[in-house]
Amino acid sequence: MFKPSRSNLSDSSDIPTGRPMHPPTVTFARRTSSGRYVNYPRDNLSRDDLESEIGSVEFMNYTVHIPPTPDNQPMDPSISQKVEEQYVSNSLFTGGFNSATRAHLMDKVTESEASHPQMAGAKGSSCAVLGCDGKVMSDERGIDILPCECDFKICRDCYIDAVKSGDAICPGCKEPYKQTDLDEKAGDGTGRPLPLPPTAGMSKMERRLSLMKSTKSGFMRSRTGGGEFDHNRWLFETKGTYGYGNAIWPKDGGFGNDNDDEVREPTEFLSKPWRPLTRKLKIPAAVISPYRLLAFVRLAALALFLMWRIKHPNTDAPWLWGMSVVCEIWFAFSWVLDQLPKLNPVSRIADLNVLKEKFEMPGPNNPTGKSDLPGVDIFVSTADPEKEPPLVTANTILSILAVDYPVEKLSCYVSDDGGALLTFEAMAEAASFANLWVPFCRKHDIEPRNPESYFNLRRDPYKNKVRQDFVKDRRRMKREYDEFKVRINGLPDSIRRRSDAYNAREEIKALKLQREQAGDELPREPLKVQKATWMADGAHWPGTWLHAAAEHSKGDHAGIIQVMLKPPSDEPLNGTAGDTTTLEFADVDIRLPLLVYVSREKRPGYDHNKKAGAMNALVRASAIMSNGTFILNLDCDHYIYNSQAIREGMCFMMDRGGDRICYVQFPQRFEGIDPSDRYANHNTVFFDVNMRALDGLQGPVYVGTGCLFRRIALYGFDPPRSKEHPGFCDSFCCCFGNRRKNKRITAAASLPEETRSLRMGDSDDEGMNLSVLPKRFGNSSFLVDSIPVAEFQGRPLADHPSIKNGRPPGALAIPRELLDAPTVAEAISVISCWYEDKTEWGGRIGWIYGSVTEDVVTGYRMHNRGWKSVYCVTKRDAFRGTAPINLTDRLHQVLRWATGSVEIFFSRNNAFLASPRMKLLQRIAYLNVGIYPFTSFFLIVYCFLPAFSLFSGQFIVQTLNITFLVYLLIISLTLCLLALLEIKWSGITLEEWWRNEQFWLIGGTSAHLAAVLQGLLKVIAGIEISFTLTSKSAGDDNDDEFADLYIIKWTSLMIPPIVIIMVNLIGIAVGFSRTIYSTIPQWSRLLGGVFFSFWVLAHLYPFAKGLMGRRGRTPTIVYVWSGLIAITISLLWVAIKPPSGSTNSDIGGSFSFP
């Protein structure tokens, strides 16, 4: 057991921001039988005490890890690193504020046995040295590495002891070890030399290219100090060679001419025709030209109509006329904000064949043909296993692990913000099942790669399958998945029974101890033992317990990191015919991507910033552990439906000009929606119309999931060449700032080559200064060192003279750094609750804090700095998820979105305050995002106007003259024609458009109004708003997949629409009664009021249908009484206020109202 102390880990609550760096130290500790750890003070630890403790049974696994040094290399470095990585994957790292980082070596992570060699807790042989039960060193396949010819099984620590203190004598045969035998057995067999690290004499271009090597390398970390590069040490540590085959091999002694800043393109690229990775497909002129013309025609008609309405008031009912005119002016303004950003829609298409040719085919700079694609880190966020079922999360993880992307370039991080053991063990079960599922998907090209969705497909699963063993494999895999679901669904009971058993054992021990201490005396107080939650290996779970306790509740627990699947080997690892698995994977790559469980530290008194804080913790942890250049974030219920989706997104990032793209947003598609889509859950108008239109401007908004980010853009840096791409205000200012521009160019030229592309801040002279980054990013030097690496690896290939800020081909076709314990300990420190104090995380860096819709604000900040985004609509849906089909859940979802928009409007993220780098129409789009909830006030008033008109016998105009009808006809026809053209160029259906219109009114009269009121309360009174997670579970009826649709859960949001429906129904009855019994019927006013009342009721029909529940379950008496009450109220109204020119005797014969 060891606890490495790093420069940013402290044992006290006072954590200075600028502490000096200290060398790693070793803290002695032992684990008690209850799962707790007892520390030994370093100053008071005597040799006798240590020997006595080591000799005890409870401390038999005691180990001290000594950091490797250049003069202490007992075994091949690659072997020691892999063994260290195996140790890391079998350890649960915990730590946080005012506590040291612990690495708890786990015998197992689940009750079931792990067999995959990458899996945490994988079973292996035990060390044969007497008194040691450590695990034997193993390779990528899990085969034991035996350094001696006698095949004596020995663990890493015993081997080190034998080499250092035992004259390299094997404990088994007593013969000296042969180091060469170990090298031959454990070598990677590739024979490829490693890339040459940077030297002091390198040119600027060479130093830039050298950044492809991870900064975690011992001779590249800034903490190792300066000095010249030691070539002998490099040759000894890496067994590298100089010559052809290294990542940098310039011809003729250099990369260009005498000027280091200019790079000459290799001749092999200039001789090939250059092919782009993506194409922009504009909408045909026959569609877009009439669309734009109709938009301007409707705009002119609205202006003329409003002018006419203002000039022709209704003197009989000025209050009715005034309210209607104000509402109509606001509706016209809102329509303009929504319509203007739609004038330039585009479509884009990616070419995956070109991507494969450029990045994964052998070439002069990549002879082996290894993948030159950058790394991708995938984030999955979950918070509550009760509302987000672990089976759903596990299926999402399985779809990620099976994605079609280079395995060694892919990492998956799961954020469990609830710190639940249920989520932890469900992840472990998913990692174990991936041992079969992922090779099965690769072998048979399975789509989709979510097992739940795949086995529930309603099409022929055997179509286009050519392998003869597919039927057998699929049948076997279906049985394995059914067993997997049983294990996942049984985890809650399993954890509860296990914890009860361990707690009962602890109670018996405590009671026995109490009796021994008390003797013959009876205990005065009953014994109280804390009910803990226990892991599968018999240790306390460091996260949230089933019975909350101090330091073990949802808002108070340590940070946790567990490497469920360690990083895969660099070379493909095919299954063998002799495997013990039930399926045959002889020619299939069985490697699995890196999978990490992360639960950030939470402590009382800290603002953890909900999902945004969890995502930022993942950004920091992933930067230290894998440093993927791009980040894909997914909700736990959104899985990868298209296994090549990441490749399509990478086409945009790696294309010419792709270094200025901050993120690629994919449309959200949903499953489990009722066929009629009653509440517009698919939201196709937004995703296929609005988002596609924004793609023609500066890019779509970020919508929370299914988004591929550029890590550097999340870090708050400005886009490359930001001064060369001015906004609509910068273009005017640049005409008068040539002298200042020349000064900027001179200042930029003086920056180092490695940091010239990194700029942060609006100051013209501000470049990247590495010394100020710790103040912004925190005091983790690992994190700061990873920034220029991520920037370099995200550049497009410099395979064409027009590509600026590129990187040479083959620069990323190198192995990734292996994980070690200090690296994971550093990751633990950056997910602590105090790390963000006095930094810019959440302000400029990462996900932005302060709004319940942190996604929109985060995307807005990037666009505000001049970045562009891209909307990627794939032929096969990229991702699919679930959406709430229950009316109440849907309204609360819309309420959260609208509340976030109100917060944006009243914050400094308002589009009125945008920087000059944001385009004009993009500003209008973001302005509409913040303003649309305020339409609810006017919409509710307008929905009551028809009823008021019917009650009063008046209308919004004096008379229904021809001018009013013509204007109304033109405005309605142009709206319908615009909708038809939108349907034409977006691909949506007319029914989907109509559903969107219906729910716009439903949400506008319910959730949007509540959002505005809550937003005003937060701004004026400071009252915070709390939201609950939307449940992903199904209804009680297991036979009906749409059971949730018919569940009626009362909420106050339903009151306004219900009142509108009732008032309009009563108004129609009153209007008909008055007109029929009137001496001089005013049919024109009746028709006008009834028409608009039916317009309101037609929009609210899905809401009314949702209140009725399942067909046939609403009692008939409800409809009878509703009709009787409506008729009674109508007759009473007419009796109370009879039509003009009539008396009470005219109505109902001799009936007279008392």
Side-chain angles (χ1 to χ4, degrees), residues 133-150:
D133 59 353
K135 301 301 179 184
V136 175
M137 300 178 290
S138 60
D139 58 9
E140 292 85 353
R141 295 183 180 274
I143 301 175
D144 295 342
I145 297 177
L146 306 176
C148 185
E149 295 178 352
C150 69

Side-chain angles (χ1 to χ4, degrees), residues 368-442:
T368 60
K370 290 186 62 63
S371 176
D372 197 23
L373 290 170
V376 178
D377 293 339
I378 303 180
F379 296 169
V380 179
S381 57
T382 181
D384 190 347
E386 295 181 359
K387 294 186 177 180
E388 298 168 332
L391 183 61
V392 175
T393 306
N395 274 278
T396 300
I397 295 172
L398 290 170
S399 70
I400 294 172
L401 298 179
V403 73
D404 184 8
Y405 199 78
V407 183
E408 66 276 9
K409 303 294 182 72
L410 195 66
S411 303
C412 178
Y413 294 83
V414 180
S415 170
D416 178 18
D417 222 27
L421 180 60
L422 176 58
T423 305
F424 176 85
E425 295 199 359
M427 266 194 61
E429 290 288 354
S432 178
F433 179 70
N435 183 28
L436 295 176
W437 173 252
V438 174
F440 170 74
C441 292
R442 293 171 182 165

Side-chain angles (χ1 to χ4, degrees), residues 26 53 55 121 146 227 285 296 387 422 432 460 490 531 547 553 599 655 710 828 840 845 914 937 969 985 1012 1027 1145:
V26 177
E53 290 295 339
L146 306 176
F296 287 109
K387 294 186 177 180
L422 176 58
S432 178
D460 183 9
K531 294 186 178 298
H547 303 278
S553 61
S599 181
D655 204 5
R710 184 179 298 274
I828 282 286
E840 295 187 9
I845 302 173
F937 288 116
L969 181 63
W985 60 255
V1012 174
F1027 292 94
S1145 60

Side-chain angles (χ1 to χ4, degrees), residues 577-638:
D579 284 347
T580 58
T581 59
T582 56
L583 301 178
E584 181 65 36
F585 299 136
D587 299 325
V588 182
D589 190 358
I590 63 172
R591 293 178 301 166
L592 301 176
L594 172 67
L595 177 61
V596 183
Y597 171 89
V598 179
S599 181
R600 59 177 173 148
E601 182 191 19
K602 287 188 173 183
R603 298 300 179 193
Y606 284 86
D607 186 3
H608 301 107
N609 297 295
K610 302 182 178 66
K611 180 181 176 181
M615 299 304 292
N616 285 340
L618 285 186
V619 172
R620 297 190 295 271
S622 63
I624 292 173
M625 299 182 68
S626 58
N627 198 27
T629 308
F630 299 100
I631 295 173
L632 173 66
N633 82 291
L634 297 173
D635 289 342
C636 65
D637 61 327
H638 272 72

Side-chain angles (χ1 to χ4, degrees), residues 689-710:
V689 178
N690 297 75
M691 296 285 277
R692 197 188 295 265
L694 288 175
D695 197 15
L697 305 177
Q698 202 170 340
V701 298
Y702 167 44
V703 293
T705 183
C707 188
L708 182 67
F709 281 100
R710 184 179 298 274

Side-chain angles (χ1 to χ4, degrees), residues 78-137:
S78 62
I79 302 304
S80 62
Q81 289 178 352
K82 292 178 181 178
V83 174
E84 178 73 11
E85 192 172 64
Q86 184 180 1
Y87 169 80
V88 168
S89 66
N90 289 333
S91 300
L92 179 74
F93 286 79
T94 61
F97 177 71
N98 199 23
S99 61
T101 301
R102 304 176 186 273
H104 166 58
L105 189 61
M106 302 184 67
D107 297 330
K108 57 181 179 178
V109 293
T110 60
E111 298 292 349
S112 57
E113 182 176 346
S115 58
H116 196 277
Q118 288 180 238
M119 176 70 184
K123 299 299 181 182
S125 302
S126 299
C127 180
V129 176
L130 184 63
C132 177
D133 59 353
K135 301 301 179 184
V136 175
M137 300 178 290

